């Protein structure tokens, strides 16, 4: 392989910075104001966003600064040196399971939401299948290309959030912010946990363990990853504040997808597009797509490093029917919601546990 | 695929030795036999001129052979025939050496000894001088023949810029580039393609700027070409491109020497093919197909605005009809009430769903466009009038399509012509139909899914190792000021970084 190709075929530091918000922001972001407003009063959840954000930054930083010690090695390879090989493989497989389940969740959720907001005659399975097929096409391509896709779509998502925030300014009501500091401790701790869950994107922040070690020459990776998480926190703060100021705490905690409702509430000047929510959701498809591709790809990475001889395409195509099958399992939106919550607890426990375990072991044993 | 390539290789290996043997015939010493063998090989065509002469006082026999129409007649008359006949060489000298060194006033002259070389040279416009009793033939480069004068390029017009365009003659094209870059590092490497056509193909680059890996890769791919005759540069492009399944052109093509020169200075490689005014530029990225040299001649604010306008029109050309279909058939609530009413009123009486209606118009337009391109200019105007009437007036008054859709079709058509690179504009027109079908099946959701798919294709596609989606992904913000906007000329101090050039800066290093 020549130099021109090689330099374009590796992941750079900047890619990680874009990939973190791309993979974190998805379905969870759309109902984030609801889950945070439920246990809190007024605008109090912004403190928990900050607190949860700091914890997520810390965990991400631990993960990244561990992984950059092993450039060019797969997770299984370097984790085998820290814990024994069987445990490393088991941990990796747990991550793969998480990746697959998140993929299923996103596929099902996007089908449900499209059904709700875009068209109600088309069957949910068709919408989900169409989306999954596009995801498979992306995962079957090269891994670096997925990072390029993130870079391609993320600016569009940022613009969509920016427009949403700016145009909802006119509908805000300052009285919705009161009262301050009325939440009890129980509510705060509950909201902090949920903040970690949404800012950590159901535990996907643990995926840095797998992707950062793919960087050949990591230099500023921990810093870049931190910027990525900070960006996520900022977006959460902006949208949460706006949603709450427009709807108030009670309404927000009773809306199914408060962010889409916010998009429905605002009006674009000139009135060319009557319903911004449909347009917003269409753009949001890209955000969900980015997440789904990364989680799918993570499962493929794990299986690739466990089964060394398997071809990538085969793994991708084998996983596809399984994912489609699992995504059809929840009977209704309530079950889907519940499975999302369980998935997020599983993800956070897994990511936090593995990151801390490997980091401590690396410090103690000092493996190079 | 691999198996196919292997079998192709086997075939090639099997045929080459035989191929060589049949052409490596040595030239004898008998003049008549030699001339006969050339005649026989070409089957005595009418335009093969054999002029027999006798030289000097001892009447040494000789003959010059050339093909009428391929040579510069004046050159053959004045510089070869006349000079040979006027001279009276002394006896007992090697005539071929004598002519070679002293007599013939043509700079491009060489001695050869095989029939293969002679016949090939004659077919490319050289004149051969046979002398009796010698087995050496003198080949004189007299290639001439008719070719077009340098004109303004038809396919890429600029308001402000040079009027010269490439022509079909590769020698002239090379000199057009040389006239613009007087750098000793400017390289022209010649290849020969076409097993029967023996076309010249020149790879041009500037040593010291270009990435050597790129040149090596291009040369490697050019050697893999196995064709009888390359129809213009398009066929060369298809042989060396990265993906044959992609709807996008992976090499740039241009008729403009200034555009070729600009590409060379950026660190790209330009490929010139004999017999076509279109040269190829490699590598190419998606956004560069939307660039025009006009951006550089205008002031930067104007240049940037025009470029952004072109990006917008590319989006309109691709999306507009499909968005119309999606909005009318799936999401009418997204349109403001007033607009919705006026569209509904204009669609009253139209018997088809929006998709059929839009398809009808789009296909009609494509047929009109195709017919207009092929026809002579005079009839072309007629097509314009007929088409305008069909699209504009009659279809509406007959109630087949709505006037609103006429506006959409017209706007889409105009927007697709704003793409400077024709090969890209066709791709856009083609992709538009995919979007229309997607919009008809899944509405806006279908459009976004197809859009994502095209993006997946773009990030996986490469042009000679360079990702086609540069500089969006990989995100190269420093290239944006040259590729997305056109920043003031003082700020463009660096060559595009994605090309990984040897010489990174455009400025004189001593000034820094």
């Amino acid at each position: 392989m020549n130099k021109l190709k090689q330099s374009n075929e590796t992941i750079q530091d900047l890619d990680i910075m874009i990939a973190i918000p791309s993979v974190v922001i998805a379905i969870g972001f759309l109902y984030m104001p609801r889950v945070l407003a439920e246990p809190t009063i007024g605008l109090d959840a912004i403190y928990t966003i900050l607190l949860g954000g700091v914890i997520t930054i810390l965990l991400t930083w631990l993960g990244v600064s561990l992984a950059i010690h092993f450039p060019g090695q797969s997770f299984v390879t370097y984790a085998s040196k820290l814990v024994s090989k069987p445990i490393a493989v088991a941990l990796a497989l747990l991550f793969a399971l998480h990746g697959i389940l998140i993929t299923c969740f996103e596929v099902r959720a996007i089908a449900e939401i499209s059904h709700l907001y875009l068209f109600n005659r088309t069957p949910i399975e068709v919408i989900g299948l169409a989306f999954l097929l596009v995801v498979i096409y992306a995962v079957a391509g090269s891994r670096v290309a997925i990072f390029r896709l993130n870079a391609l779509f993320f600016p569009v998502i940022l613009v969509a959030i920016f427009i949403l925030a700016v145009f909802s300014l006119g509908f805000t009501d300052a009285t919705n912010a009161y009262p301050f500091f009325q939440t009890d401790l129980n509510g705060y701790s509950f909201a902090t946990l949920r903040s970690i869950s949404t800012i950590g994107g159901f535990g996907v922040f643990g995926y840095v363990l797998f992707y950062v070690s793919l960087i050949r020459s990591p230099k500023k990776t921990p810093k870049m990853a931190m910027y990525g998480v900070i960006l996520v926190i900022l977006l959460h703060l902006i949208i949460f504040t706006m949603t709450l100021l427009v709807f108030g705490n009670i309404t927000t905690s009773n809306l199914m997808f408060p962010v889409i409702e916010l998009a429905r509430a605002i009006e674009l000047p000139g009135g060319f597009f009557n319903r911004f929510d449909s347009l917003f959701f269409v753009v949001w498809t890209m955000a969900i797509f980015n997440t789904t591709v990364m989680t799918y790809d993570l499962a493929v990475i794990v299986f690739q490093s466990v089964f060394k001889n398997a071809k990538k395409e085969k793994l991708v195509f084998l996983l596809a029917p399984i994912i489609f099958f699992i995504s059809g399992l929840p009977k209704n939106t309530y079950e889907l919601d519940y499975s999302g919550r369980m998935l997020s607890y599983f993800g956070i426990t897994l990511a936090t546990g593995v990151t801390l375990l490997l980091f401590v072991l690396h410090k103690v044993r000092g493996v190079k | 695929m691999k198996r196919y390539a292997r079998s192709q290789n086997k075939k090639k290996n099997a045929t080459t030795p035989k191929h060589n043997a049949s052409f490596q015939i040595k030239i004898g010493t008998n003049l008549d036999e030699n001339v006969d063998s050339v005649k026989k090989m070409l089957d005595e065509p009418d335009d093969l001129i054999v002029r027999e002469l006798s030289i000097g006082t001892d009447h040494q026999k000789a003959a010059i052979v050339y093909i009428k129409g391929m040579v510069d007649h004046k050159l053959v008359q004045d510089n070869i025939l006349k000079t040979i006949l006027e001279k009276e060489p002394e006896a007992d000298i090697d005539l071929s050496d004598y002519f070679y060194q002293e007599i013939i006033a043509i700079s491009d002259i060489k001695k050869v000894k095989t029939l293969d070389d002679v016949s090939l040279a004659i077919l490319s416009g050289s004149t051969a001088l046979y002398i009796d009793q010698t087995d050496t033939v003198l080949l004189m480069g007299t290639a001439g023949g008719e070719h077009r004068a340098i004109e303004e390029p038809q396919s890429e017009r600029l308001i402000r810029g040079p009027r010269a365009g490439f022509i079909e003659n590769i020698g002239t094209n090379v000199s057009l580039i040389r006239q613009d870059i007087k750098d000793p590092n400017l390289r022209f490497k010649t290849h020969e393609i076409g097993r029967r056509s023996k076309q010249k193909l020149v790879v041009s680059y500037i040593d010291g700027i270009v990435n050597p890996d790129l040149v090596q890769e291009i040369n490697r791919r050019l050697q893999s070409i196995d064709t009888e005759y390359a129809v213009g540069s398009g066929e060369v492009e298809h042989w060396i491109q990265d993906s044959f399944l992609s709807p996008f052109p992976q090499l740039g093509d241009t008729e403009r020497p200034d555009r070729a020169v600009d590409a060379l200075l950026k660190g790209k490689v330009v490929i010139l093919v004999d017999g076509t005014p279109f040269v190829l530029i490699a590598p190419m990225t998606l956004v560069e197909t939307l660039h025009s040299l006009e951006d550089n001649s205008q002031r930067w604010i104007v240049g940037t605005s025009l470029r952004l306008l072109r990006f917008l029109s590319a989006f309109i050309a691709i999306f507009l009809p499909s968005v119309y279909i999606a909005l009318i058939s799936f999401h009418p609530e997204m349109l403001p009430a007033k607009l919705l009413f006026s569209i509904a009123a204009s669609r009253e009486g139209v018997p088809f769903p929006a998709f059929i209606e839009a398809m009808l118009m789009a296909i009609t337009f494509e047929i009109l466009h195709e017919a207009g391109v092929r026809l002579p200019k005079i009839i072309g105007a007629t097509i314009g009038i007929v088409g305008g009437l069909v699209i504009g007036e009659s279809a509406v008054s007959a109630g087949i399509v709505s006037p609103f859709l006429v506006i959409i079709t017209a706007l889409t058509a105009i927007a697709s012509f704003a793409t400077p690179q024709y090969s890209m504009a066709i791709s856009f027109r083609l992709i538009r139909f995919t979007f229309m079908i997607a919009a008809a099946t899944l509405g806006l959701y279908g459009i976004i899914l197809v859009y994502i798919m095209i993006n997946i294709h773009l990030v996986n596609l490469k042009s000679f190792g360079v990702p086609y989606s540069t500089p969006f992904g990989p995100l190269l913000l420093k290239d944006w000021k040259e590729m997305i906007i056109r920043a003031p000329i003082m700020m463009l101090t660096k060559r595009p970084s994605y090309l990984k050039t040897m010489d990174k800066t455009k400025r004189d290093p001593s000034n820094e």
Side-chain angles (χ1 to χ4, degrees), chain B residues 116-129:
Chain B
D116 176 27
D117 291 336
V118 175
S119 62
L120 186 62
I122 290 175
L123 287 171
S124 345
S126 292
T127 304
L129 172 64

Side-chain angles (χ1 to χ4, degrees), chain B residues 291-425:
Chain B
H291 289 182
S292 162
L293 268 195
E294 188 95 38
D295 304 344
N296 291 32
S297 350
Q298 299 297 346
R299 306 185 60 255
W300 76 272
I301 302 177
V302 178
T304 302
S305 315
L306 286 178
R307 192 170 279 183
L308 295 179
L309 183 71
R310 250 176 264 132
F311 291 156
L312 176 71
S313 57
F315 270 96
I316 291 178
I318 297 173
F319 285 108
L320 196 60
S322 53
V323 169
Y324 170 82
I325 296 172
L327 288 183
I328 297 291
S329 6
F330 283 89
H331 326 281
E333 77 283 354
M334 279 180 77
L335 290 168
K338 273 187 185 170
L339 183 63
L340 185 62
F341 286 139
S342 71
I343 293 177
S346 77
R347 274 180 56 78
E348 203 174 336
V350 175
F352 307 116
F355 173 65
I356 304 283
E357 188 193 5
M359 269 310 216
L360 211 64
M361 284 300 271
I363 292 173
T364 312
F365 167 73
E366 293 300 329
I367 293 172
L368 275 172
H369 176 71
E370 186 60 19
V373 169
R374 307 286 157 235
L375 282 173
K377 266 184 197 154
I378 313 155
I379 313 176
T382 324
I383 285 288
I385 297 163
V386 172
L389 281 177
V390 168
I391 289 188
E393 283 294 319
S394 316
V396 174
S397 51
I400 298 173
V401 295
S402 71
F404 195 74
L405 185 67
V406 175
I407 302 174
I408 299 235
T409 310
L411 189 57
T412 314
I414 296 166
S416 70
F417 291 128
T419 304
Q421 180 124 23
Y422 183 66
S423 50
M424 198 57 174

Side-chain angles (χ1 to χ4, degrees), chain A residues 3-4 7-9 18 119 127 131 134 137-138 142 145 148 151-153 271-275 278 282 289, chain B residues 211 213 333-336 442 445 448 451-453 455-457 459-460 462 464-465 467 472-475 499-500:
Chain A
K3 241 186 276 165
L4 193 71
S7 53
N8 283 322
E9 282 312 298
I18 301 167
F119 24 60
I127 308 174
F131 183 73
V134 177
Y137 179 32
S142 85
R148 278 187 218 133
L152 230 56
F153 292 154
F272 191 76
F273 270 109
N274 217 15
R275 280 183 46 184
S278 307
V282 165
F289 169 81
Chain B
N211 186 322
D213 295 330
E333 77 283 354
M334 279 180 77
L335 290 168
L442 284 173
Y445 184 69
I448 199 76
Y451 177 66
I452 291 175
M453 274 168 66
N455 276 296
I456 297 171
H457 172 67
V459 293
N460 278 301
K462 282 198 219 107
F464 296 90
F472 292 108
L475 190 61
L499 288 166
K500 308 271 186 302

Side-chain angles (χ1 to χ4, degrees), chain A residues 217-228:
Chain A
S217 52
K219 281 173 220 142
K220 299 177 289 184
T221 323
K223 212 164 93 187
M224 287 295 183
M226 261 161 63
Y227 288 155

